[in-house]
Coordinates of all heavy atoms in Angstrom, one line a residue:
L1 N 2.1 -1.6 8.9 CA 2.3 -0.5 8.1 C 1.4 0.6 8.4 O 0.2 0.4 8.7 CB 2.2 -0.8 6.6 CG 3.2 -1.8 6.1 CD1 2.8 -2.4 4.7 CD2 4.6 -1.3 6.0
P2 N 1.8 1.9 8.4 CA 0.9 3.0 8.8 C -0.3 3.0 7.9 O -0.3 3.0 6.7 CB 1.8 4.2 8.5 CG 3.2 3.7 8.6 CD 3.2 2.3 8.1
G3 N -1.5 3.2 8.5 CA -2.7 3.3 7.8 C -3.4 2.0 7.4 O -4.5 2.0 6.8
I4 N -2.7 0.9 7.6 CA -3.2 -0.4 7.1 C -3.9 -1.1 8.3 O -3.4 -1.2 9.4 CB -2.1 -1.3 6.6 CG1 -1.3 -0.6 5.5 CG2 -2.6 -2.6 6.2 CD1 -2.2 -0.2 4.3
E5 N -5.1 -1.6 8.0 CA -5.9 -2.4 9.0 C -5.6 -3.9 8.9 O -5.5 -4.5 9.9 CB -7.3 -2.1 8.8 CG -8.2 -2.7 9.8 CD -9.7 -2.3 9.7 OE1 -10.4 -2.8 8.9 OE2 -10.0 -1.4 10.5
S6 N -5.6 -4.4 7.7 CA -5.4 -5.8 7.5 C -4.9 -6.1 6.1 O -4.8 -5.2 5.3 CB -6.6 -6.6 7.8 OG -7.6 -6.3 6.9
Y7 N -4.6 -7.3 5.8 CA -4.2 -7.7 4.5 C -4.7 -9.1 4.2 O -5.1 -9.9 5.1 CB -2.6 -7.7 4.4 CG -2.0 -8.8 5.2 CD1 -1.6 -10.0 4.7 CD2 -1.7 -8.5 6.6 CE1 -1.0 -11.0 5.5 CE2 -1.1 -9.5 7.4 CZ -0.8 -10.7 6.8 OH -0.2 -11.6 7.6
S8 N -4.7 -9.5 2.9 CA -5.1 -10.8 2.5 C -3.8 -11.6 2.2 O -2.9 -11.1 1.6 CB -6.0 -10.8 1.3 OG -5.4 -10.2 0.2
D9 N -3.8 -12.9 2.6 CA -2.6 -13.7 2.3 C -2.5 -13.9 0.8 O -3.5 -14.0 0.1 CB -2.8 -15.1 3.0 CG -2.6 -15.0 4.5 OD1 -1.9 -14.1 5.0 OD2 -3.2 -15.9 5.2
L10 N -1.2 -14.1 0.4 CA -1.0 -14.4 -1.1 C -1.6 -15.7 -1.4 O -1.6 -16.7 -0.7 CB 0.5 -14.4 -1.4 CG 1.2 -13.1 -1.3 CD1 2.7 -13.3 -1.5 CD2 0.7 -12.1 -2.3
Q11 N -2.2 -15.7 -2.6 CA -2.9 -17.0 -3.1 C -2.1 -17.5 -4.3 O -2.7 -18.0 -5.2 CB -4.3 -16.7 -3.4 CG -5.1 -16.1 -2.3 CD -5.4 -17.2 -1.2 OE1 -5.6 -18.3 -1.5 NE2 -5.3 -16.7 0.0
G12 N -0.8 -17.3 -4.4 CA 0.0 -17.8 -5.5 C 0.3 -16.7 -6.5 O 0.9 -17.0 -7.5
G13 N -0.2 -15.5 -6.4 CA 0.0 -14.4 -7.3 C 1.1 -13.5 -6.9 O 1.9 -13.8 -5.9
L14 N 1.3 -12.4 -7.6 CA 2.3 -11.4 -7.3 C 1.8 -10.2 -6.7 O 2.5 -9.2 -6.6 CB 3.1 -11.1 -8.6 CG 3.9 -12.2 -9.2 CD1 4.5 -11.8 -10.5 CD2 5.0 -12.6 -8.3
V15 N 0.5 -10.2 -6.3 CA -0.1 -9.0 -5.7 C -0.9 -9.4 -4.5 O -1.4 -10.6 -4.4 CB -1.0 -8.2 -6.6 CG1 -0.2 -7.7 -7.8 CG2 -2.2 -9.0 -7.1
T16 N -1.2 -8.5 -3.6 CA -2.1 -8.7 -2.4 C -2.8 -7.4 -2.2 O -2.4 -6.3 -2.7 CB -1.3 -9.2 -1.2 OG1 -2.3 -9.6 -0.2 CG2 -0.5 -8.0 -0.6
W17 N -3.9 -7.5 -1.5 CA -4.8 -6.4 -1.2 C -4.6 -6.0 0.3 O -4.6 -6.9 1.2 CB -6.2 -6.7 -1.4 CG -6.5 -6.8 -2.9 CD1 -6.6 -8.0 -3.6 CD2 -6.8 -5.8 -3.8 NE1 -6.9 -7.7 -4.9 CE2 -7.0 -6.3 -5.0 CE3 -6.8 -4.4 -3.7 CZ2 -7.3 -5.6 -6.2 CZ3 -7.1 -3.6 -4.8 CH2 -7.3 -4.2 -6.0
L18 N -4.3 -4.8 0.6 CA -4.2 -4.3 2.0 C -5.4 -3.4 2.3 O -5.8 -2.5 1.5 CB -3.0 -3.4 2.1 CG -1.6 -4.1 1.7 CD1 -0.5 -3.1 1.8 CD2 -1.4 -5.3 2.5
R19 N -6.1 -3.7 3.4 CA -7.3 -3.0 3.8 C -6.8 -1.7 4.6 O -6.1 -1.9 5.5 CB -8.2 -3.8 4.6 CG -9.5 -3.0 5.1 CD -10.3 -3.8 6.1 NE -10.7 -5.1 5.6 CZ -11.9 -5.3 4.9 NH1 -12.7 -4.3 4.7 NH2 -12.2 -6.5 4.6
L20 N -7.3 -0.6 4.1 CA -7.0 0.7 4.8 C -7.8 0.8 6.0 O -8.9 0.3 6.1 CB -7.2 1.9 3.9 CG -6.2 1.9 2.6 CD1 -6.7 2.9 1.6 CD2 -4.8 2.1 3.0
K21 N -7.4 1.6 7.0 CA -8.2 1.9 8.2 C -9.4 2.7 7.7 O -9.4 3.4 6.7 CB -7.4 2.7 9.2 CG -6.2 1.9 9.8 CD -5.5 2.7 10.8 CE -4.4 1.9 11.5 NZ -3.6 2.6 12.4
P22 N -10.5 2.5 8.4 CA -11.8 3.2 8.1 C -11.6 4.7 7.9 O -10.8 5.3 8.7 CB -12.7 2.9 9.2 CG -12.2 1.6 9.8 CD -10.7 1.7 9.7
G23 N -12.2 5.2 6.8 CA -12.1 6.7 6.6 C -11.0 7.1 5.7 O -10.9 8.3 5.3
I24 N -10.0 6.2 5.4 CA -8.9 6.6 4.5 C -9.3 6.2 3.1 O -9.6 5.0 2.8 CB -7.6 5.8 4.9 CG1 -7.2 6.2 6.4 CG2 -6.5 6.1 4.0 CD1 -6.0 5.5 6.9
L25 N -9.2 7.1 2.2 CA -9.5 6.9 0.7 C -8.3 6.3 0.0 O -7.1 6.8 0.2 CB -9.9 8.2 0.1 CG -11.2 8.8 0.7 CD1 -11.4 10.2 0.0 CD2 -12.4 7.9 0.5
S26 N -8.5 5.3 -0.8 CA -7.4 4.6 -1.4 C -6.5 5.5 -2.3 O -5.3 5.4 -2.4 CB -7.9 3.4 -2.2 OG -8.7 3.7 -3.2
E27 N -7.2 6.3 -3.1 CA -6.5 7.2 -4.1 C -5.6 8.2 -3.3 O -4.5 8.4 -3.7 CB -7.4 7.9 -5.0 CG -6.8 8.5 -6.2 CD -7.8 8.9 -7.2 OE1 -8.9 9.4 -6.9 OE2 -7.6 8.7 -8.4
E28 N -6.2 8.8 -2.3 CA -5.4 9.7 -1.4 C -4.2 9.1 -0.8 O -3.1 9.6 -0.8 CB -6.4 10.3 -0.4 CG -5.8 11.3 0.5 CD -6.8 11.8 1.5 OE1 -7.8 12.5 1.1 OE2 -6.6 11.5 2.7
Y29 N -4.4 7.9 -0.3 CA -3.3 7.1 0.4 C -2.2 6.8 -0.6 O -1.0 7.0 -0.3 CB -3.8 5.9 1.0 CG -2.8 5.2 1.9 CD1 -2.8 5.4 3.3 CD2 -1.9 4.3 1.4 CE1 -1.8 4.8 4.1 CE2 -1.0 3.7 2.2 CZ -0.9 4.0 3.6 OH 0.0 3.4 4.3
A30 N -2.6 6.3 -1.7 CA -1.6 5.9 -2.8 C -0.8 7.1 -3.2 O 0.4 7.0 -3.4 CB -2.3 5.2 -3.9
D31 N -1.5 8.2 -3.5 CA -0.8 9.5 -3.9 C 0.2 10.0 -2.8 O 1.3 10.3 -3.1 CB -1.8 10.6 -4.2 CG -2.6 10.3 -5.5 OD1 -2.1 9.4 -6.3 OD2 -3.6 11.0 -5.8
L32 N -0.3 10.0 -1.6 CA 0.5 10.5 -0.5 C 1.7 9.5 -0.3 O 2.9 10.0 -0.1 CB -0.3 10.6 0.8 CG 0.3 11.2 2.0 CD1 0.7 12.7 1.7 CD2 -0.7 11.3 3.1
L33 N 1.5 8.2 -0.4 CA 2.6 7.3 -0.2 C 3.7 7.5 -1.3 O 4.9 7.5 -1.0 CB 2.1 5.9 -0.2 CG 3.1 4.8 0.0 CD1 3.7 4.9 1.4 CD2 2.5 3.4 -0.2
W34 N 3.2 7.7 -2.5 CA 4.2 7.9 -3.6 C 5.0 9.2 -3.4 O 6.2 9.2 -3.6 CB 3.4 8.0 -4.9 CG 4.3 8.4 -6.1 CD1 4.2 9.6 -6.8 CD2 5.3 7.6 -6.7 NE1 5.2 9.6 -7.8 CE2 5.8 8.4 -7.7 CE3 5.8 6.3 -6.5 CZ2 6.8 7.9 -8.6 CZ3 6.8 5.9 -7.3 CH2 7.3 6.6 -8.3
K35 N 4.3 10.3 -3.0 CA 4.9 11.6 -2.9 C 5.9 11.6 -1.7 O 7.0 12.2 -1.8 CB 3.9 12.7 -2.6 CG 3.1 13.0 -3.9 CD 2.0 14.0 -3.6 CE 1.2 14.2 -4.9 NZ 0.0 15.1 -4.6
R36 N 5.6 10.9 -0.6 CA 6.5 10.9 0.6 C 7.6 9.9 0.5 O 8.7 10.1 1.1 CB 5.7 10.7 1.8 CG 4.8 11.8 2.2 CD 4.3 11.7 3.6 NE 3.4 12.7 4.0 CZ 2.7 12.7 5.1 NH1 2.8 11.7 6.0 NH2 1.9 13.7 5.3
T37 N 7.4 8.8 -0.2 CA 8.4 7.7 -0.1 C 8.9 7.2 -1.5 O 9.9 6.5 -1.5 CB 7.8 6.5 0.6 OG1 6.7 5.9 -0.2 CG2 7.3 6.9 2.0
G38 N 8.1 7.4 -2.6 CA 8.5 6.8 -3.8 C 8.0 5.4 -4.0 O 8.3 4.7 -4.9
V39 N 7.2 5.0 -3.0 CA 6.6 3.6 -3.0 C 5.3 3.7 -3.8 O 4.4 4.5 -3.5 CB 6.3 3.1 -1.6 CG1 5.6 1.8 -1.7 CG2 7.6 2.9 -0.9
F40 N 5.2 2.8 -4.8 CA 4.0 2.8 -5.7 C 3.1 1.7 -5.4 O 3.5 0.5 -5.4 CB 4.5 2.7 -7.2 CG 3.3 2.7 -8.2 CD1 2.7 3.9 -8.5 CD2 3.0 1.6 -8.8 CE1 1.6 3.9 -9.4 CE2 1.9 1.5 -9.7 CZ 1.3 2.7 -10.0
V41 N 1.8 2.0 -5.1 CA 0.8 1.0 -4.9 C -0.4 1.5 -5.7 O -0.5 2.7 -6.1 CB 0.3 0.9 -3.4 CG1 1.5 0.3 -2.6 CG2 -0.2 2.2 -2.8
L42 N -1.3 0.6 -6.0 CA -2.5 1.0 -6.8 C -3.7 1.2 -5.9 O -3.9 0.3 -5.0 CB -2.8 0.0 -7.9 CG -1.8 -0.1 -9.0 CD1 -2.1 -1.3 -9.9 CD2 -1.9 1.2 -9.9
P43 N -4.5 2.3 -6.1 CA -5.6 2.5 -5.2 C -6.7 1.5 -5.6 O -7.0 1.2 -6.8 CB -6.1 3.9 -5.5 CG -5.4 4.3 -6.8 CD -4.2 3.4 -7.0
G44 N -7.4 1.0 -4.6 CA -8.5 0.0 -4.8 C -9.6 0.6 -5.6 O -10.3 -0.1 -6.3
K45 N -9.8 1.9 -5.5 CA -10.8 2.6 -6.3 C -10.7 2.3 -7.8 O -11.8 2.1 -8.4 CB -10.7 4.1 -6.1 CG -11.6 5.0 -6.9 CD -11.4 6.4 -6.6 CE -12.3 7.3 -7.5 NZ -12.1 8.7 -7.3
N46 N -9.5 2.0 -8.3 CA -9.3 1.7 -9.7 C -9.9 0.3 -10.0 O -10.1 0.0 -11.2 CB -7.9 1.7 -10.1 CG -7.3 3.1 -10.0 OD1 -7.9 4.1 -9.7 ND2 -6.0 3.2 -10.3
F47 N -10.2 -0.5 -9.0 CA -10.7 -1.8 -9.2 C -12.0 -2.1 -8.5 O -12.4 -3.2 -8.2 CB -9.6 -2.8 -8.6 CG -8.3 -2.7 -9.2 CD1 -7.3 -1.9 -8.6 CD2 -7.9 -3.4 -10.3 CE1 -6.1 -1.8 -9.2 CE2 -6.7 -3.3 -10.9 CZ -5.7 -2.5 -10.3
E48 N -12.7 -0.9 -8.3 CA -14.0 -1.0 -7.6 C -13.8 -1.6 -6.2 O -14.7 -2.4 -5.7 CB -15.0 -1.7 -8.4 CG -15.3 -0.9 -9.7 CD -16.4 -1.5 -10.5 OE1 -17.1 -2.4 -10.1 OE2 -16.6 -1.1 -11.7
R49 N -12.7 -1.3 -5.5 CA -12.4 -1.8 -4.2 C -12.0 -0.7 -3.3 O -10.9 -0.7 -2.7 CB -11.4 -2.9 -4.2 CG -11.9 -4.2 -4.9 CD -11.0 -5.4 -4.6 NE -11.2 -5.8 -3.2 CZ -10.5 -6.8 -2.7 NH1 -9.6 -7.5 -3.4 NH2 -10.7 -7.2 -1.5
E50 N -12.8 0.3 -3.2 CA -12.4 1.4 -2.3 C -12.2 0.9 -0.9 O -12.8 0.0 -0.4 CB -13.5 2.5 -2.3 CG -13.2 3.7 -1.5 CD -11.9 4.4 -1.9 OE1 -11.9 5.0 -3.0 OE2 -10.9 4.3 -1.2
G51 N -11.2 1.5 -0.2 CA -10.8 1.1 1.1 C -9.7 0.1 1.1 O -9.2 -0.3 2.2
F52 N -9.2 -0.2 0.0 CA -8.0 -1.2 -0.2 C -7.0 -0.5 -1.1 O -7.3 0.4 -1.9 CB -8.5 -2.5 -0.9 CG -9.3 -3.3 0.0 CD1 -10.7 -3.1 0.0 CD2 -8.8 -4.4 0.7 CE1 -11.5 -3.9 0.8 CE2 -9.6 -5.2 1.5 CZ -11.0 -5.0 1.5
I53 N -5.8 -1.0 -1.0 CA -4.7 -0.7 -1.9 C -4.1 -2.0 -2.4 O -4.2 -3.0 -1.7 CB -3.6 0.2 -1.4 CG1 -3.0 -0.4 -0.1 CG2 -4.1 1.6 -1.2 CD1 -1.8 0.4 0.4
R54 N -3.6 -2.0 -3.6 CA -3.0 -3.2 -4.2 C -1.5 -3.1 -4.2 O -1.0 -2.1 -4.7 CB -3.5 -3.5 -5.6 CG -3.2 -4.8 -6.2 CD -3.7 -5.1 -7.5 NE -2.8 -4.6 -8.5 CZ -2.8 -4.9 -9.8 NH1 -3.8 -5.7 -10.2 NH2 -1.9 -4.5 -10.6
L55 N -0.9 -4.1 -3.6 CA 0.6 -4.1 -3.4 C 1.2 -5.2 -4.3 O 0.7 -6.4 -4.1 CB 1.0 -4.3 -2.0 CG 2.4 -4.4 -1.6 CD1 3.2 -3.1 -2.0 CD2 2.6 -4.7 -0.2
G56 N 2.1 -4.9 -5.1 CA 2.8 -5.9 -6.0 C 4.1 -6.3 -5.4 O 4.7 -5.6 -4.7
F57 N 4.5 -7.6 -5.7 CA 5.8 -8.1 -5.2 C 6.7 -8.4 -6.4 O 7.5 -9.3 -6.3 CB 5.5 -9.4 -4.5 CG 4.7 -9.2 -3.2 CD1 3.3 -9.3 -3.2 CD2 5.3 -8.9 -2.0 CE1 2.6 -9.1 -2.1 CE2 4.6 -8.6 -0.9 CZ 3.2 -8.8 -0.9
G58 N 6.7 -7.7 -7.4 CA 7.5 -7.9 -8.6 C 8.8 -7.2 -8.6 O 9.3 -6.9 -9.7
E59 N 9.4 -7.0 -7.5 CA 10.7 -6.2 -7.4 C 11.7 -7.1 -6.6 O 11.4 -8.0 -5.9 CB 10.4 -4.9 -6.6 CG 11.6 -3.9 -6.6 CD 12.1 -3.6 -8.0 OE1 11.5 -2.9 -8.7 OE2 13.2 -4.1 -8.4
R60 N 13.0 -6.7 -6.8 CA 14.0 -7.4 -6.1 C 13.8 -7.3 -4.6 O 13.3 -6.3 -4.1 CB 15.4 -6.8 -6.4 CG 15.9 -7.0 -7.8 CD 17.4 -6.5 -7.9 NE 17.7 -5.3 -7.1 CZ 17.6 -4.0 -7.5 NH1 17.1 -3.8 -8.7 NH2 17.9 -3.1 -6.7
Q61 N 14.1 -8.3 -3.8 CA 13.8 -8.3 -2.4 C 14.5 -7.2 -1.7 O 13.9 -6.5 -0.8 CB 14.3 -9.6 -1.8 CG 14.0 -9.7 -0.3 CD 14.4 -11.0 0.4 OE1 14.8 -11.9 -0.3 NE2 14.2 -11.1 1.6
S62 N 15.7 -6.8 -2.0 CA 16.4 -5.7 -1.3 C 15.7 -4.4 -1.6 O 15.5 -3.6 -0.7 CB 17.9 -5.6 -1.8 OG 18.0 -5.4 -3.2
L63 N 15.2 -4.1 -2.8 CA 14.5 -2.9 -3.2 C 13.1 -2.9 -2.5 O 12.7 -1.9 -2.0 CB 14.5 -2.7 -4.7 CG 14.0 -1.4 -5.1 CD1 14.8 -0.2 -4.6 CD2 14.0 -1.3 -6.7
F64 N 12.5 -4.0 -2.5 CA 11.2 -4.1 -1.9 C 11.3 -3.8 -0.4 O 10.5 -3.1 0.2 CB 10.6 -5.5 -2.1 CG 9.2 -5.7 -1.6 CD1 8.1 -5.3 -2.3 CD2 9.0 -6.2 -0.3 CE1 6.8 -5.5 -1.8 CE2 7.7 -6.4 0.2 CZ 6.6 -6.0 -0.6
Q65 N 12.3 -4.4 0.3 CA 12.5 -4.2 1.7 C 12.8 -2.7 2.0 O 12.3 -2.1 2.9 CB 13.6 -5.0 2.2 CG 13.8 -4.9 3.8 CD 12.5 -5.4 4.5 OE1 12.1 -6.5 4.3 NE2 12.0 -4.5 5.3
K66 N 13.6 -2.1 1.1 CA 13.8 -0.6 1.3 C 12.6 0.2 1.2 O 12.3 1.1 2.0 CB 14.8 -0.2 0.2 CG 15.2 1.3 0.3 CD 16.1 1.7 -0.9 CE 16.4 3.2 -0.8 NZ 17.3 3.6 -1.9
G67 N 11.7 -0.2 0.3 CA 10.4 0.5 0.1 C 9.5 0.3 1.4 O 8.9 1.3 1.9
V68 N 9.5 -0.9 1.9 CA 8.7 -1.2 3.1 C 9.3 -0.4 4.3 O 8.5 0.2 5.0 CB 8.7 -2.7 3.4 CG1 8.1 -2.9 4.8 CG2 7.9 -3.4 2.4
D69 N 10.6 -0.3 4.4 CA 11.2 0.5 5.5 C 10.8 2.0 5.4 O 10.5 2.6 6.4 CB 12.7 0.3 5.5 CG 13.2 -1.1 5.8 OD1 12.3 -1.9 6.4 OD2 14.3 -1.4 5.5
Q70 N 10.9 2.5 4.2 CA 10.5 3.9 3.9 C 9.0 4.1 4.3 O 8.6 5.1 4.8 CB 10.8 4.3 2.5 CG 12.3 4.4 2.2 CD 12.6 4.6 0.7 OE1 11.9 4.0 -0.1 NE2 13.5 5.5 0.5
W71 N 8.2 3.2 3.9 CA 6.8 3.2 4.2 C 6.5 3.3 5.7 O 5.8 4.1 6.2 CB 6.1 2.0 3.6 CG 4.6 2.0 3.5 CD1 3.7 2.8 4.1 CD2 3.9 1.0 2.7 NE1 2.5 2.4 3.8 CE2 2.5 1.3 2.9 CE3 4.2 0.0 1.9 CZ2 1.5 0.6 2.3 CZ3 3.2 -0.7 1.3 CH2 1.8 -0.4 1.5
I72 N 7.2 2.4 6.4 CA 7.0 2.4 7.9 C 7.5 3.7 8.5 O 6.8 4.3 9.3 CB 7.8 1.2 8.5 CG1 7.1 -0.1 8.1 CG2 7.9 1.4 10.0 CD1 8.0 -1.3 8.4
Q73 N 8.6 4.2 8.0 CA 9.1 5.5 8.6 C 8.3 6.7 8.2 O 8.3 7.7 8.8 CB 10.5 5.7 8.1 CG 11.5 4.7 8.7 CD 12.9 4.8 8.1 OE1 13.1 5.6 7.2 NE2 13.8 4.0 8.6
S74 N 7.4 6.6 7.2 CA 6.6 7.7 6.7 C 5.6 8.2 7.7 O 5.2 9.3 7.6 CB 6.0 7.4 5.4 OG 4.9 6.5 5.6
S75 N 5.1 7.3 8.5 CA 4.1 7.6 9.5 C 2.8 8.1 8.9 O 2.1 8.9 9.5 CB 4.6 8.6 10.6 OG 5.7 8.0 11.2
I76 N 2.5 7.7 7.7 CA 1.3 8.1 7.0 C 0.1 7.6 7.8 O -0.1 6.4 8.0 CB 1.2 7.6 5.5 CG1 2.4 8.2 4.7 CG2 -0.1 7.9 4.9 CD1 2.5 7.7 3.3
Y77 N -0.8 8.5 8.1 CA -2.1 8.2 8.8 C -1.9 7.5 10.1 O -2.7 6.6 10.5 CB -3.0 7.4 7.9 CG -3.5 8.2 6.7 CD1 -3.0 8.0 5.4 CD2 -4.5 9.2 6.9 CE1 -3.4 8.7 4.3 CE2 -4.9 9.9 5.8 CZ -4.4 9.7 4.5 OH -4.8 10.4 3.5
L78 N -0.9 7.8 10.8 CA -0.7 7.2 12.2 C -1.5 8.1 13.2 O -1.0 9.2 13.5 CB 0.7 7.1 12.6 CG 1.5 5.9 12.1 CD1 2.9 5.9 12.7 CD2 0.8 4.6 12.5
S79 N -2.7 7.7 13.5 CA -3.4 8.5 14.5 C -4.5 7.7 15.2 O -4.8 6.6 14.7 CB -4.0 9.7 13.9 OG -4.9 9.4 12.8

């Protein structure tokens, strides 16, 4: 995904943490992703985890896949 450096495997929950590439602020990324794609993630800053975003999996698979596709196409922070 654009702007993402790594992720943590699910540990049985409905959320995972995605590590942003160095220098990308979580709140800025989450706001930009929402504005460009309608995909909602929570900034790590809200959880004292700057440099990460929190992604939930509580949506129907078809809608979740649509969001991921839009996210990929957004090219946010591809440089």
Side-chain angles (χ1 to χ4, degrees):
L1 295 167
I4 303 301
E5 181 174 84
S6 65
Y7 66 94
S8 59
D9 290 332
L10 291 175
Q11 302 291 321
L14 294 175
V15 299
T16 192
W17 291 97
L18 306 174
R19 181 188 303 271
L20 297 169
K21 291 182 179 177
I24 298 176
L25 300 175
S26 64
E27 194 168 42
E28 182 180 291
Y29 189 94
D31 288 345
L32 189 57
L33 184 62
W34 173 252
K35 289 175 185 172
R36 288 195 185 172
T37 68
V39 172
F40 180 75
V41 297
L42 290 168
K45 177 181 177 183
N46 293 358
F47 302 91
E48 297 182 12
R49 291 195 74 181
E50 185 55 72
F52 290 83
I53 54 172
R54 192 175 89 162
L55 176 65
F57 295 94
E59 189 53 75
R60 292 187 326 269
Q61 183 178 354
S62 60
L63 190 55
F64 184 84
Q65 185 62 55
K66 181 180 177 183
V68 169
D69 293 342
Q70 290 172 318
W71 191 346
I72 291 168
Q73 293 172 358
S74 73
S75 299
I76 296 172
Y77 293 104
L78 278 183
S79 55

